[in-house]
Amino acid sequence: MKLLTITVPSYNVEKTLAATLDSLCVEEILPKLDIIVVDDGSSDSTPEIAQKYAKAYPESVRVISQPNGGHGSAVNTGIKNAQGKYFKVVDGDDRLDKDGFIALVNCLEKTDADLVASNYKKVLPDGSDAGTMEFTGVEYNKIYSFDEIPVDGTIYFGIHSSTFKTEVLKASGIELQHHTFYVDAEYAVLPIPAVKTVLFLKDCVYLYTVGAAGQSIDMANFVSRYDDHLRVVKRVASFANECDCSDKHREYIYSAAAKLCFTQYMLAAFYDENLERGQVRARSFDTWLKGDPKLYNALAKSLYIRFLRATDFRFLPRSVKLKSAVRAVSRAFKRLTGRKKLTY
């Protein structure tokens, strides 16, 4: 049995896939790896590039081609075909840090934790550093029971930091939505009820590329895919209410759901340049969220959300200068506090 399966969801990534796979095919640890490149219906040379690595490293690299189903579908395929004790997702336009990757594999050999959560770095397309995302308030290399983890809004097991036991993922029955952006947020929530133990690893393992043209997290794309994010929000909110789990697991899931709901408000009320559309979207989302009093009240902790609700979102078409001021204050606050958001 291999130690670690790494699934590489790949759609038209001919420009970056070789760099991704070079970062995974590390000689010292390659025999322990099960690397699955899931070609999600690419129309460029992505499958041919992947096949070159499969031929060069036949004991460690496989290629699975499928009709286009989106990022979630590719991750689902990886989970179903995984042969490793642990499972990690690395997108075809990202990389792993060599030293951090080796440290992760060494950790996995020694631990039996259900989830290993490591720090990661954001990098620009030219490779320069764009910030480190770190877990705080925890002891590294200690195995926590899930009930011991501080759920205070800062702990978030995002796809870039998480390495799950494969049997945990399969036991959870996780199935990410197809043809939907932002299902990374589902991956951070749906397996959690099956997670009993967590180890935090200080090493930065994942190098997450940001700032590339056409990325789903580019704000213009984010706004245009508002409905995709809304589908994810609704699924996570429903899961928070319906899943069979402990109180601590549910507390974490609600914390993640609240982050997503805040993002949904911001997409409509703050980032949409079409102010009239943003107003309609924000009102509609607020009306929907009233059906979940716990989440609705959790969002009321935000001064900005309270202000939106108090004005019934009517201020939006007249708020261009106010938005600029709020953005300036927000940037200043982040500089002062050093807080980093781990949701995306």
Side-chain angles (χ1 to χ4, degrees), residues 216-236:
S216 62
I217 59 168
D218 174 80
M219 199 49 62
N221 290 329
F222 220 155
V223 171
S224 71
R225 293 161 180 161
Y226 179 89
D227 290 339
D228 282 44
H229 194 266
L230 182 59
R231 285 197 297 274
V232 172
V233 169
K234 288 185 175 181
R235 187 180 188 195
V236 170

Side-chain angles (χ1 to χ4, degrees), residues 11-65:
Y11 176 71
N12 289 350
V13 287
E14 63 180 7
K15 295 181 180 179
T16 57
L17 182 58
T20 299
L21 294 177
D22 284 343
S23 78
L24 302 184
C25 295
V26 177
E27 184 178 357
E28 300 97 303
I29 55 176
L30 191 57
K32 303 169 186 177
L33 305 180
D34 168 38
I35 301 169
I36 307 174
V37 181
V38 181
D39 166 38
D40 191 42
S42 297
S43 58
D44 64 2
S45 62
T46 291
E48 288 76 18
I49 294 170
Q51 288 293 352
K52 288 181 182 179
Y53 283 82
K55 290 178 182 178
Y57 308 106
E59 300 300 316
S60 297
V61 181
R62 296 183 278 155
V63 180
I64 298 176
S65 293

Side-chain angles (χ1 to χ4, degrees), residues 18-295:
T20 299
L21 294 177
D22 284 343
S23 78
L24 302 184
C25 295
V26 177
E27 184 178 357
E28 300 97 303
I29 55 176
L30 191 57
K32 303 169 186 177
L33 305 180
D34 168 38
I35 301 169
I36 307 174
V37 181
V38 181
D39 166 38
D40 191 42
S42 297
S43 58
D44 64 2
S45 62
T46 291
E48 288 76 18
I49 294 170
Q51 288 293 352
K52 288 181 182 179
Y53 283 82
K55 290 178 182 178
Y57 308 106
E59 300 300 316
S60 297
V61 181
R62 296 183 278 155
V63 180
I64 298 176
S65 293
Q66 64 179 34
N68 180 257
H71 188 264
S73 174
V75 174
N76 294 338
T77 295
I79 294 172
K80 291 173 184 174
N81 290 275
Q83 297 176 355
K85 178 182 177 182
Y86 283 92
F87 183 91
K88 189 167 188 64
V89 178
V90 178
D91 287 337
D93 55 358
D94 293 330
R95 294 172 290 119
L96 297 188
D97 175 82
K98 182 177 179 179
D99 292 339
F101 186 21
I102 292 173
L104 172 65
V105 170
N106 289 339
C107 173
L108 297 180
E109 285 188 303
K110 300 173 184 176
T111 190
D112 198 46
D114 291 338
L115 168 60
V116 175
S118 52
N119 296 327
Y120 69 93
K121 289 183 179 180
K122 292 184 177 182
V123 296
L124 297 176
D126 63 4
S128 57
D129 194 342
T132 300
M133 312 304 285
E134 298 179 318
F135 289 98
T136 58
V138 297
E139 181 180 338
Y140 291 111
N141 299 316
K142 170 185 174 181
I143 296 180
Y144 287 84
S145 72
F146 199 91
D147 287 345
E148 294 177 310
I149 295 172
V151 180
D152 56 3
T154 62
I155 297 293
Y156 183 77
F157 300 116
I159 198 167
H160 306 114
S161 60
S162 296
T163 303
F164 287 97
K165 256 189 183 177
T166 303
E167 65 181 26
V168 166
L169 291 174
K170 292 184 176 181
S172 74
I174 183 174
E175 182 78 16
L176 305 182
Q177 295 184 74
H178 293 201
H179 296 295
T180 302
F181 288 91
Y182 315 114
V183 292
D184 290 11
E186 295 180 359
Y187 189 82
V189 168
L190 300 184
I192 291 302
V195 173
K196 307 304 180 189
T197 52
V198 180
L199 182 145
F200 294 92
L201 184 67
K202 186 174 184 178
D203 300 80
C204 286
V205 178
Y206 201 105
L207 302 178
Y208 174 35
T209 304
V210 298
Q215 268 191 309
S216 62
I217 59 168
D218 174 80
M219 199 49 62
N221 290 329
F222 220 155
V223 171
S224 71
R225 293 161 180 161
Y226 179 89
D227 290 339
D228 282 44
H229 194 266
L230 182 59
R231 285 197 297 274
V232 172
V233 169
K234 288 185 175 181
R235 187 180 188 195
V236 170
S238 175
F239 186 74
N241 285 299
E242 298 172 1
C243 68
D244 182 14
C245 61
S246 72
D247 291 343
K248 197 58 174 281
H249 286 85
R250 196 179 306 279
E251 184 181 355
Y252 166 81
I253 295 168
Y254 262 107
S255 173
K259 289 176 185 288
L260 291 171
C261 288
F262 184 81
T263 299
Q264 197 70 32
Y265 277 114
M266 297 295 281
L267 289 176
F270 200 75
Y271 291 110
D272 196 336
E273 296 299 327
N274 183 329
L275 299 179
E276 183 176 354
R277 179 180 63 186
Q279 182 184 54
V280 171
R281 284 176 167 179
R283 281 177 174 170
S284 176
F285 180 67
D286 192 67
T287 298
W288 172 81
L289 194 59
K290 286 179 180 177
D292 189 328
K294 183 173 181 178
L295 270 179

Side-chain angles (χ1 to χ4, degrees), residues 269-336:
F270 200 75
Y271 291 110
D272 196 336
E273 296 299 327
N274 183 329
L275 299 179
E276 183 176 354
R277 179 180 63 186
Q279 182 184 54
V280 171
R281 284 176 167 179
R283 281 177 174 170
S284 176
F285 180 67
D286 192 67
T287 298
W288 172 81
L289 194 59
K290 286 179 180 177
D292 189 328
K294 183 173 181 178
L295 270 179
Y296 189 81
N297 293 331
L299 269 294
K301 295 177 182 178
S302 164
L303 177 61
Y304 185 62
I305 299 300
R306 293 203 303 274
F307 179 62
L308 288 175
R309 290 171 176 173
T311 61
D312 193 28
F313 307 93
R314 283 192 294 266
F315 82 100
L316 289 176
R318 304 187 298 276
S319 66
V320 176
K321 292 183 179 178
L322 176 61
K323 284 187 175 185
S324 298
V326 172
R327 288 191 180 110
V329 171
S330 177
R331 288 193 296 268
F333 177 76
K334 288 179 180 178
R335 286 196 297 270
L336 286 170

